[in-house]
């Protein structure tokens, strides 16, 4: 099926996704039931960026970035490019020229299961990339891949139009059908966390905030005053 | 033995440990004879922190942070939490709520042989963590572990009350019985290094500062003027 | 051949190499035909440095930094030290004393297929290191190695007098015989990239800038309006 | 969605899948256009087994094999179990008791993105497993997962009823909708390879068997008699 | 403390340990509460060996096997050598000469957190080794280490006189104080497993053998007849 | 320089190299001063083969085995193919058809810094391969590489005509200029080892066979009768 380019898919208005970026990967991930998190070795090329956007999916041959060039003109304000090689590869598929091109179109960032280069310039221009590696190794433009078909990135299925959320904690895929739920549930979670935060700030501990004490006692948690008490079997 | 919580152990007054943080992991490690260094893949979630404190040890089940919550109320000013999963796991056991809770109690930092999340907030609040990974993957609260029993973290034995020293160079365990020695020997080393530093600053090289020339000649070190001399066997 | 020290080799005047640092690893690597790039796990201990210099090559025994000390007095303004252990090792071979010593001699930086320590101080003094690991684990001074013989660093041959270029994108070896070509070709490439950059800045995409459209069509690239069109086989 | 068990799905009669096992992973993978191959670190616990069967998919919590037990009674003659932990884990989820149980039901083998134990007994009883690791580390029975929902195993989507083919070369997923095509195309490929094999056996080389010579010359392949001819630029 | 050799420690008579080898790592590990298992990347150099013996512990410098030679004459019938480098190293510390020497003394095998060589000869002579790597890279004889002091091997504490059990599933450390318990508990477990095995052999499944059904229902395990039933929310 | 094919180089008569295969990698590696050993993750696809031959070097693009086909007709009786991708790749570049083709020409084996497939058939036909991975992932035939130019394989320089020695312990490169030395020195080493072997067989230990006792005492090796003696500082 190599060489297939699907031009359009249903997008969520970027403004609707913005709260996901603000709430962050960890919160949204919890909110939707802990699904869709990419592998922890997908790391930002610089710290501090936080994005959410509509996934545009791209498959590329090993060492060949042809399809990223094909994808550029299909992107819109608020998109996030998700690029996956068909065989594992850490070459530097993406640099500052492509970064500038995408940034100018309003693309929020790039998720790249491969290598990225020109990382200093990309940081200076403020185009964030989450990648598997940083590598100056260039790529060729010979082989076709696909655009906007379902892909698997670091073990997670990504379909065009899924929401991508990414920050310093990692990269999250929210299936399109669950974006509304993610927005609601993450808002609720933020509110709930605010209450927990207030209690923590007041000096309470998680055992009380989360009501864990009884449950733990029932599971057999046993306290000893010190190592000697433990050796002698004297609980406290 | 799962579910054992030892409340107390003998602590070193935090002020006594402070010089270890100032002198740094590399110096203290040398000073005590190069023992106790954790693996180099234990990295700080942000650069620039430097801590020393009393180890509070915690074992956790894979994907379960119950025991970190149990440990919080047992911590004191000047402690460092050392958390080890019983099977390898890179989930995000620790975030900003727990970080705020520990920071409020005066805990110096966390050594976590697993994943950490909310890393930007943790950096903003100034609670340092050395971890194996950064991951938004949350954990459950179902399974017991132990607190303040000896643990092995990245191949190093840690007992409650051992001193933990950590900075950008890594994480070091100083056995409680050798803390006094570590303080004395690292002070001596700092002094000695200051002298070496002065000699280096004056342009001397290590061959002379450390008196290596004769020893190396005896081992057969041989100089050649250039590649041609080497090819022709003409020493110089 | 252990214990061989070659004092001299033909160097390129540092000022001649300076443009390579400015143009950067990715550009120079492309310019010379994509050869000589070291592995992507050679990472800078801090971000933002960009260097070019004459390679001084050093082999070291595992856990033993003797030969780095031997090398120091053989270095000159504009050199870059390339240090390779004879068996894989991540110990901390290099710290701030050696860094200060090399910096004072005008050495541009260190390429170290092993571990580095005192990274904060090295950053403060501005002596950049690209290494495989950061580790406080010290080394001994017992075993000989060689200096200024050809070495292989992360799979790349380095001969004394080759140019080393390193920045946030990685580390590149330019064979001495190709330095002039690297200077010319990278200048040409910078110029060419400036033109591409202007076209990208004006909103053009790579498909046009690089003239890819016809070639891709010939390879069978096929557009579909959306997923339904794809399912129904309606090209657009 | 944790705790969902889907009892049934459409299966392919085992006898129809048998030719895929015989033709092998490499051949079937080529035949269907090089899709669906799992990562190369999924290795057989013993060499020589070759299977094909209907995928029964199972997700498990890290360190918890509850759902494998739930899955057993849902399996049928000709199935292959595909087990994926929700967070990476190398614990030993599977041993000889479960192996005997599945073998008795006619299950062809297990694909396990985690650890396996009792490997010697499993080899003796002839129940093949492809796994990420071998580990005696046992698991608990506390947490729910899902059965017969789509999963991602080493980056490949597996749906219940997909065909799994596995042998010493690795593990392949053939989507249910393409099983017929896989059977036809692999048969055709076997036939075609037989012809190639005969030509190779007769001493021909791939350049002729695959008609590569002209194409390579056009790409610029250039022969030199020896290194001297190369240095002097004399083609031959 | 380098250079310390402790000649003797209390051993368990080899005949008493023999049942542990027969029952195997997985069973004994379960029997003592899942402690002491070494990392899964410690693999046997050949399949089929199964041993149990008294640990003789050895630390070695990276790339230096001096202390293995020192250890040989301290070994006795029924011992197992446990060798740990002080910095990670995969060199080939051990070959057939040392293997023959140890075998002649009745040593049961070697646990080596490093590389092993002469693996074919070691297999022919029947001296089993569990190691991190296979490597022909030889070692030198320059640096001291320690013998029969506590060591940490792949994250597990080993003290001289602990029982080591190793087979195709991995390597287990049983603390000396718990050997009697390990013998009793593993015997009990074998007996219990025999009963389970009989039930499994009679066609029962783990859900019944382990009485899991009610517990799982309480946790919310829910069955659906097929994917359509799941989509429509019809439980069965 | 891509697309360069050098037809000929000076070969060593295969019969002269045969003793290197018989003496084995570990012995020859020691004999020539411990140089030229490839990385330990280059493993044989089956155990028991032992080869020596003249290196024919091949570079290949990632995921492209064109140049292996080009190389076949340039091989002769007694050659060993050494294949290196220009970017890291674990695809399955080589299978049974190529294996049969090379075997028919008398090629001794393949050293492949990538993936191999059809491993069962290759074992049955007795064509040995040492590779980085086993993978069914096929390759294309689009891109040129070079043949019989110097390459770097797992960090070791290989020139056409170097001798390759490979067995279960790993893969060794002997530079052409040192083959005679390797033959002589390995013969001498075999003889010397035979004497050591006889002494070991007679029950002597390495401390005496290698005369290590005095040297170790001088370095400070200290014996203690048992742990109590050590605690009390009583040497023995």
């Amino acid at each position: 099926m190599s060489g297939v380019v699907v031009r359009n898919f249903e997008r969520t208005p970027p403004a609707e996704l913005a709260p996901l970026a603000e709430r962050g990967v960890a919160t949204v991930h919890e909110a939707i039931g802990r699904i869709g998190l990419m592998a922890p070795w997908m790391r930002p090329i610089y710290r501090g960026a936080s994005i959410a956007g509509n996934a545009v999916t791209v498959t590329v041959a090993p060492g060949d970035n042809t399809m990223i060039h094909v994808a550029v003109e299909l992107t819109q304000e608020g998109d996030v490019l998700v690029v996956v090689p068909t065989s594992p590869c850490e070459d530097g598929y993406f640099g500052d020229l492509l970064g500038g091109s995408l940034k100018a179109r309003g693309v929020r960032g790039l998720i790249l299961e491969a290598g990225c280069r020109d990382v200093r310039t990309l940081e200076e221009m403020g185009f964030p990339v989450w990648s598997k590696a940083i590598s100056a190794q260039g790529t060729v433009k010979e082989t076709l891949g696909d655009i906007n078909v379902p892909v698997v990135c670091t073990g997670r299925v990504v379909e065009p139009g899924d929401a991508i959320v990414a920050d310093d904690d990692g990269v999250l895929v929210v299936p399109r059908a669950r974006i509304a739920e993610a927005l609601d549930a993450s808002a609720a979670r933020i509110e709930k966390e605010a209450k927990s935060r207030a209690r923590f700030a007041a000096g309470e501990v998680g055992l009380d905030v989360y009501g864990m004490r009884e449950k733990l006692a029932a599971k057999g948690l046993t306290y000893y005053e010190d190592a000697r008490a433990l050796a002698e079997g004297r609980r406290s």
Side-chain angles (χ1 to χ4, degrees), chain A residues 138-158:
Chain A
T139 49
V140 298
K141 295 178 180 60
E142 291 295 333
T143 309
L144 300 184
D146 300 320
I147 292 180
N148 288 328
V149 300
V151 300
V152 176
C153 185
T154 86
R156 299 303 163 205
V157 176
V158 186

Side-chain angles (χ1 to χ4, degrees), chain A residues 103-199:
Chain A
K103 188 174 167 63
R105 302 181 69 88
V107 173
R108 296 293 189 257
L110 167 67
I111 311 302
L112 175 59
E113 194 180 352
C116 183
R117 57 183 182 171
D118 300 331
V119 295
R120 203 187 319 172
T121 312
L122 288 167
E123 179 173 4
E124 286 164 6
M125 70 168 61
F127 186 81
V129 179
W130 285 255
S131 71
K132 186 180 178 184
I134 292 173
S135 170
Q137 175 74 45
T139 49
V140 298
K141 295 178 180 60
E142 291 295 333
T143 309
L144 300 184
D146 300 320
I147 292 180
N148 288 328
V149 300
V151 300
V152 176
C153 185
T154 86
R156 299 303 163 205
V157 176
V158 186
E159 306 213 24
D162 288 348
I164 301 294
V165 190
D167 61 19
D168 289 353
D169 284 345
V171 183
L172 178 70
V173 188
V174 180
R176 186 165 41 180
R178 299 188 62 186
I179 292 175
E181 175 194 347
L183 284 162
D184 290 348
S186 61
R189 190 169 174 88
I190 289 284
E191 198 171 353
K192 184 180 152 207
E193 276 183 356
K195 287 177 190 160
S196 298
R197 201 176 306 266
R199 293 182 64 182

Side-chain angles (χ1 to χ4, degrees), chain A residues 4-26:
Chain A
V4 163
V5 181
V6 177
R7 291 185 198 272
N8 291 310
F9 54 87
E10 199 182 340
R11 284 173 169 86
T12 306
E16 286 184 26
L17 295 179
L20 298 180
E22 192 188 329
R23 290 166 197 163
V25 168

Side-chain angles (χ1 to χ4, degrees), chain A residues 28-79:
Chain A
V28 180
H29 181 237
E30 293 287 346
I32 58 168
R34 295 184 178 172
I35 61 154
L37 191 70
M38 290 194 184
W41 40 259
M42 289 294 281
R43 297 300 303 146
I45 60 166
Y46 60 89
R47 297 286 280 267
S50 187
I51 65 167
N54 292 294
V56 169
T57 63
V58 182
T59 68
V60 290
D64 189 310
N65 75 350
T66 301
M67 297 309 287
I68 304 182
H69 286 286
V70 176
V72 169
E73 66 184 359
L74 305 175
T75 60
Q76 300 182 6
E77 165 82 20
D79 286 349

